[in-house]
Amino acid sequence: MIDGVRLRVLCYNIRHAQGIGGIISTGRVARVISGVDCDVAALAEVWRVPKHFDQPSLLAELTGMVPRFHGLGRVLGRESGNALLSRLPIESVRFIDLGGRRERRGCMIVELQAGGVRFAFATTHLSLDRATRTNQIKLLATELPRDQPLVVAGDFNCGLSELEPLQALLRFPAEVPPTYPSPLPFRALDHIGFSTHWSLESLVAIRSWASDHRPLLAELTMKHDGLR
């Protein structure tokens, strides 16, 4: 391992770029992402309309980052899912189908490289239904990689108490800034977890009304003795 590898991670449910007041602006969301100078952005509720509109590609163009998209369902011609934007080289991509009672959910896992170190990065968005969400968390606990440094970011739609099945694999900060609803947030639904290879330097919610969630920004440092 290389000591001192730093990673800035943004976790953001963009609600298809529909901000407070109903205005839809992908450009405004892109400015939020660019403004925090992150290495990786994990985005939920991103959409595409085949042959007409590709929000992941537009966000990538506006931010200068590389996109990956995990489509999870289509309604009235619109495909919605999770997206990832990265400034780091993407080595591989795989998907986990988490199912869902009303809306299909999933997890996208990419392998990234920073400072000569490869690590796994996952983004997800879990169900609003607690029973379904419980099963999704249990499935993540068995399917997420265990043999390399790992970071997971997403809208889990729950507090830390429900994430207990993941805590043998990931650490979640005990004090998480609330991110929902964005004008006056009081619920911490968005989380960034990380394996023991990482140390948390900072965790803040960014003030923005570009979505109904505020973006959550973490700065992590790779520990020299992470692989132990």
Side-chain angles (χ1 to χ4, degrees), residues 118-132:
R118 290 186 178 184
F119 63 94
F121 186 96
T123 179
T124 192
H125 181 198
L126 301 188
S127 175
L128 290 166
D129 176 74
R130 180 162 185 163
T132 304

Side-chain angles (χ1 to χ4, degrees), residues 11-195:
C11 176
Y12 197 8
N13 182 330
I14 69 169
R15 191 172 65 162
H16 315 122
Q18 181 177 347
I20 302 304
I23 297 172
I24 297 176
S25 173
T26 301
R28 182 167 61 169
V29 168
R31 288 191 292 274
V32 172
I33 296 170
S34 295
V36 300
D37 192 29
C38 59
D39 300 300
V40 190
L43 309 178
E45 295 189 19
V46 185
W47 67 3
R48 292 196 305 190
V49 181
K51 299 181 181 180
H52 295 284
F53 180 67
D54 189 325
Q55 196 167 54
S57 295
L58 179 57
L59 285 168
E61 178 183 340
L62 294 173
T63 61
M65 302 173 80
V66 176
R68 294 292 184 271
F69 179 69
H70 184 195
L72 293 166
R74 186 175 295 183
V75 177
L76 299 176
R78 186 187 73 188
E79 184 179 26
S80 183
N82 302 321
L84 178 139
L85 299 175
S86 177
R87 297 191 189 282
L88 304 175
I90 299 174
E91 304 291 333
S92 64
V93 184
R94 71 180 179 95
F95 306 108
I96 302 172
D97 186 350
L98 298 176
R101 296 176 63 181
R102 289 183 298 176
E103 292 182 282
R104 181 174 162 231
R105 305 289 182 162
C107 178
M108 174 167 52
I109 305 172
V110 300
E111 188 173 65
L112 302 176
Q113 187 175 141
V117 178
R118 290 186 178 184
F119 63 94
F121 186 96
T123 179
T124 192
H125 181 198
L126 301 188
S127 175
L128 290 166
D129 176 74
R130 180 162 185 163
T132 304
R133 189 168 62 241
T134 297
N135 290 331
Q136 291 169 344
I137 291 169
K138 290 178 179 177
L139 183 58
L140 283 175
T142 63
E143 293 292 331
L144 288 170
R146 296 175 175 270
D147 58 350
Q148 63 186 134
L150 171 65
V151 178
V152 180
D155 178 1
F156 286 81
N157 268 315
C158 66
L160 289 175
S161 60
E162 290 188 42
L163 302 181
E164 191 277 332
L166 293 171
Q167 294 189 17
L169 179 62
L170 297 166
R171 291 185 294 157
F172 292 92
E175 296 184 7
V176 184
T179 53
Y180 181 86
S182 56
L184 291 171
F186 64 92
R187 301 188 66 189
L189 302 179
D190 302 283
H191 300 280
I192 298 173
F194 44 90
S195 62

